[in-house]
Amino acid sequence: MTTPFPFTAVVGQDDLRLALLLNAVSPAVGGVLVRGEKGTAKSTAVRALSALLPAVAVVPGCRFSCDPAAPDPACPDGPHEPGGGTDRPARMVELPVGASEDRLVGALDIERALAEGVKAFEPGLLADAHRGILYVDEVNLLHDHLVDLLLDAAAMGASYVEREGVSVRHAARFLLVGTMNPEEGELRPQLLDRFGLTVEVAASREPEQRVEVVRRRLAYDDDPDGFAARWAAEEAAVRQRIVVARRLLPEVRLGDGALRQIAATCAAFEVDGMRADIVMARTATALAAWAGRTEVLAEDVRQAALLALPHRRRRNPFDAPGLDEDKLDDTLEQYAGDDDGGEDDPDPDGPGGGGGGPRPDDGPQGGGDTAARPEAGEGGEPQASGAREQAAAPAAEPFRTKALSVPGIGEGAAGRRSRARTEHGRTTGARRPRGTLTKLHLAATVQAAAPHQRARGRSGPGLVIRRDDLRQATREGREGNLVLFVVDASGSMAARQRMGAVKGAVLSLLLDAYQRRDKVGLVTFRGAAAEVALPPTSSVDAAAARLGSLPTGGRTPLAAGLLRAHEVLRVERLRDPARRALVVVVTDGRATGGPEPVVQAGRAARLFAADGVASVVVDCESGPVRLGLAGQLAGELGGTAVTLDGLRADSIAGLVRDVQGTQRTPGRAA
């Protein structure tokens, strides 16, 4: 077994270490979500925590880690008599992103259950994690059906495995710890709220601290055991401090003044529900116990807010988590009370440092005085000339868009956009299982076994089932797609201040992609060339940020934009062949860049039609005289065209409910 990197040897990351230690002192805090860029010791610190946790008393031989002092009466390995337990080290169980449902909740032998009536159950990771830590690296990439199972277990403290009327239940209370890189996509709000605390981590910009990080890592890689031995004393001291804090925790007093501060803070930041108040109260109590005190002070409430509220406060889509610390201090001061130490000025740093995370961005850059003076350009419309470009225009207010989907039935990653064959959804038929049976189709199984009962010598009431009789249910649900935006950023788009409306429309579609669990990419074209502003990613936030800073100006190399998008799709098909694409071209349809721009654009568009790529053209043409060029482009693509106004959900009247239906009338505009 590999020697873990010592927890106390992690350089910096005070907020991360404090949040993990508070959960070690009081598991009721509810776990921690660690957000940050790659290479910031997120996983290293989490894996090192398990070595500091006190041992757990369990019933000997119980696969579900029952507490000998209060064994679970419904334990599948029970019943257990109280007393007589043994100690074992606390477990940290890792849930791989690509794990199957059976691996998470356990597997039930359906064949034995039908033929013999025996509940032959193999426990999963939830059973292993009971009374320990369940760690999910890259938790934001976890499949939706696994997220649903985690939410159920976290809410009920138990895991249920049910297959065609046969069910097994066991306790599953665990400390949920997740790490994620926000650039790869955000978490579903329901799962985000299940994490008690959240911290933002980033690599230090101090050269001396970075040198120490490298020095310690190299020393550990050269001799893990020797390095761990040098930190054994510090590890033992922290382990003992956790034990002392756990013993002190029941004696900590949470006064009415501290409770008022907690309630006022949650109300001031408009958090939803009451979970934030409860988590803050538990965190503040754990902070006092960790500091060796029996009374919660205002500084504990402040630090608890910085850890428990950033991911719960109401914020606009694509805003980064964080708290306004000035507002926090004003609220705490206003509701300070004498009985909880509120008369003292709260420590600006608090135990373990600030931890409030980055503050929300003040908003996209406005065009303002930095915009270049418009000049005459394409079609007589004003635009930036030559190499000059206009500053990024702010996006208009986003709106709810009509659902766009890819025709046919796919088999891509689970999501909420297009029809697909999935493990979850409505049952549409049955087939022989390929590998392990996961979803039994009972009627088809009985139908397959029934003709052979006499030949198999059936004499009792039960069916005689063979492996060949089992049938897997085929189900239809929804998949996530790759939504590739191809955005015209030329001078003609900047004219008449259309770019703000265009960005608002694309931002609205990005919000829709976030809700439907899509990957997104962004290709822009202007001047003489096109560029991939954002390669396909699950981070819709990153796409919104690139869109906000997008400048405009120059000619319209439409063909270059389409060819670059076609190349992006080709490469992405090699990486993820099961994920289907939807191309959204945002343009007024003009083509002015390069030789024979209109002819070249038509040839490029027909490449998408030949590959059968679903496409939608958002027609940005405005003014009393319209040339209909976007509609012609949609016809070449084999897709459909929709105006900016028609993109709104309350304006389309079903035009783009399914791209397949509209492809019968290519080039039509709403």
Side-chain angles (χ1 to χ4, degrees):
M1 182 176 178
T2 304
T3 302
F5 192 91
F7 185 85
T8 52
V10 175
V11 178
Q13 309 297 9
D14 294 336
D15 295 332
L16 169 58
R17 293 192 293 170
L18 177 63
L20 293 172
L21 289 171
L22 292 177
N23 278 277
V25 171
S26 175
V29 167
V32 58
L33 173 65
V34 188
R35 297 165 47 96
E37 59 196 25
K38 52 187 176 292
T40 49
K42 300 188 299 293
S43 301
T44 299
V46 172
R47 292 189 175 100
L49 176 66
S50 60
L52 300 177
L53 298 179
V56 178
V58 298
V59 173
C62 178
R63 297 175 296 167
F64 301 89
S65 302
C66 280
D67 186 349
D72 181 7
C75 176
D77 284 356
H80 303 301
E81 293 296 330
T86 60
D87 291 345
R88 63 158 175 79
R91 288 177 181 165
M92 189 190 72
V93 178
E94 293 195 40
L95 171 59
V97 170
S100 66
E101 180 179 333
D102 285 346
R103 185 70 187 98
L104 178 61
V105 301
L108 191 65
D109 192 329
I110 299 297
E111 187 173 355
R112 291 188 64 190
L114 288 176
E116 305 172 28
V118 176
K119 292 183 180 179
F121 181 69
E122 184 66 28
L125 295 177
L126 290 181
D128 293 341
H130 179 49
R131 304 178 66 206
I133 300 174
L134 182 63
Y135 171 50
V136 189
D137 193 13
E138 305 295 350
V139 63
N140 51 324
L141 303 182
L142 201 63
H143 291 304
D144 275 357
H145 69 284
L146 297 183
V147 171
D148 293 337
L149 294 171
L150 275 182
L151 289 172
D152 289 342
M156 297 184 294
S159 174
Y160 291 84
V161 183
E162 299 192 13
R163 297 286 172 82
E164 305 298 339
V166 181
S167 65
V168 173
R169 174 247 178 232
H170 65 83
R173 291 182 294 275
F174 48 83
L175 188 66
L176 183 60
V177 179
T179 56
M180 60 174 283
N181 182 352
E183 293 180 356
E184 297 173 341
E186 285 292 344
L187 273 180
R188 280 172 53 182
Q190 297 93 332
L191 182 57
L192 185 64
D193 189 51
R194 283 293 171 185
F195 287 97
L197 310 179
T198 184
V199 292
E200 295 275 345
V201 296
S204 172
R205 298 297 182 252
E206 295 294 330
E208 290 302 318
Q209 194 171 76
R210 296 175 73 98
V211 167
E212 186 61 22
V213 170
V214 175
R215 182 182 292 119
R216 292 186 187 182
R217 186 69 211 189
L218 293 178
Y220 170 77
D221 291 340
D222 290 341
D223 183 10
D225 293 334
F227 184 82
R230 292 195 292 274
W231 289 88
E234 287 83 352
E235 293 282 288
V238 173
R239 191 179 298 111
Q240 181 59 29
R241 188 176 175 185
I242 292 173
V243 173
V244 172
R246 281 191 172 189
R247 292 173 182 166
L248 184 62
L249 188 65
E251 303 175 18
V252 176
R253 176 177 175 268
L254 182 64
D256 289 343
L259 279 173
R260 282 195 297 271
Q261 286 183 315
I262 290 171
T265 302
C266 292
F269 286 98
E270 299 182 335
V271 298
D272 292 326
M274 295 298 298
R275 183 174 285 121
D277 303 63
I278 296 171
V279 171
M280 269 192 68
R282 290 171 174 168
T283 304
T285 304
L287 280 162
W290 178 248
R293 289 185 268 102
T294 58
E295 193 167 2
V296 173
L297 304 180
E299 64 192 51
D300 300 324
V301 176
R302 184 182 193 277
Q303 183 63 46
L306 293 174
L307 293 173
L309 296 189
H311 61 303
R312 290 189 169 93
R313 69 173 179 84
R314 289 187 179 178
R315 51 195 173 101
N316 294 324
F318 308 131
D319 283 349
L323 290 183
D324 184 338
E325 296 192 32
D326 291 335
K327 180 179 179 180
L328 173 60
D329 291 335
D330 291 343
T331 303
L332 294 176
E333 183 177 355
Q334 180 181 354
Y335 289 89
D338 295 336
D339 62 339
D340 64 348
E343 73 277 9
D344 297 329
D345 290 333
D347 181 4
D349 296 327
R359 298 190 182 182
D361 195 6
D362 292 332
Q365 299 177 357
D369 297 330
T370 60
R373 181 177 61 84
E375 299 179 5
E378 301 174 20
E381 294 182 350
Q383 69 168 50
S385 62
R388 301 180 66 183
E389 62 183 32
Q390 296 183 350
E397 189 71 19
F399 51 85
R400 188 169 65 91
T401 66
K402 192 65 180 179
L404 308 177
S405 63
V406 178
I409 301 179
E411 295 183 348
R416 301 176 185 172
R417 183 171 297 278
S418 304
R419 295 172 58 197
R421 297 182 183 91
T422 62
E423 288 293 320
H424 300 269
R426 63 184 181 89
T427 301
T428 58
R431 60 172 174 81
R432 292 182 182 273
R434 302 165 188 166
T436 304
L437 177 70
T438 55
K439 297 291 183 182
L440 178 73
H441 194 296
L442 182 58
T445 298
V446 172
Q447 186 177 11
H452 308 292
Q453 296 305 297
R454 181 175 297 178
R456 293 173 182 173
R458 173 187 170 186
S459 58
L463 287 174
V464 180
I465 301 291
R466 299 286 186 265
R467 175 69 184 175
D468 290 343
D469 300 331
L470 299 179
R471 294 294 181 269
Q472 173 86 23
T474 57
R475 301 192 175 194
E476 182 178 309
R478 293 280 169 177
E479 67 176 1
N481 299 118
L482 166 60
V483 181
L484 182 61
F485 294 94
V486 186
V487 179
D488 183 350
S490 65
S492 65
M493 293 288 288
R496 298 174 186 165
Q497 315 209 334
R498 274 183 287 173
M499 204 60 197
V502 168
K503 287 186 176 182
V506 178
L507 185 61
S508 303
L509 291 167
L510 284 171
L511 283 168
D512 182 67
Y514 166 71
Q515 295 167 353
R516 298 180 188 279
R517 313 297 289 174
D518 293 317
K519 291 180 71 173
V520 296
L522 179 63
V523 173
T524 65
F525 57 94
R526 65 186 181 91
E531 66 172 340
V532 181
L534 183 72
T537 175
S538 296
S539 176
V540 180
D541 288 357
R546 302 291 173 88
L547 179 71
S549 60
L550 178 66
T552 57
R555 293 186 173 275
T556 311
L558 177 57
L562 295 175
L563 290 174
R564 181 59 63 91
H566 189 267
E567 177 63 17
V568 169
L569 293 184
R570 185 190 69 79
V571 174
E572 192 64 19
R573 275 195 294 268
L574 298 176
R575 295 175 178 169
D576 190 357
R579 188 180 292 269
R580 299 184 295 163
L582 173 65
V583 176
V584 180
V585 184
V586 185
T587 182
D588 57 9
R590 302 188 181 202
T592 60
E596 297 185 315
V598 176
V599 175
Q600 295 298 328
R603 290 175 180 172
R606 287 190 288 274
L607 293 176
F608 291 85
D611 291 343
V613 178
S615 59
V616 174
V617 178
V618 179
D619 185 359
C620 301
E621 194 173 25
S622 62
V625 179
R626 303 196 180 193
L627 303 179
L629 299 177
Q632 296 176 23
L633 175 62
E636 299 281 2
L637 288 166
T640 188
V642 57
T643 63
L644 281 174
D645 291 337
L647 190 60
R648 296 177 181 270
D650 54 2
S651 302
I652 288 187
L655 173 66
V656 202
R657 183 174 299 276
D658 193 310
V659 175
Q660 186 177 24
T662 58
Q663 284 180 333
R664 299 192 185 99
T665 56
R668 183 178 57 174

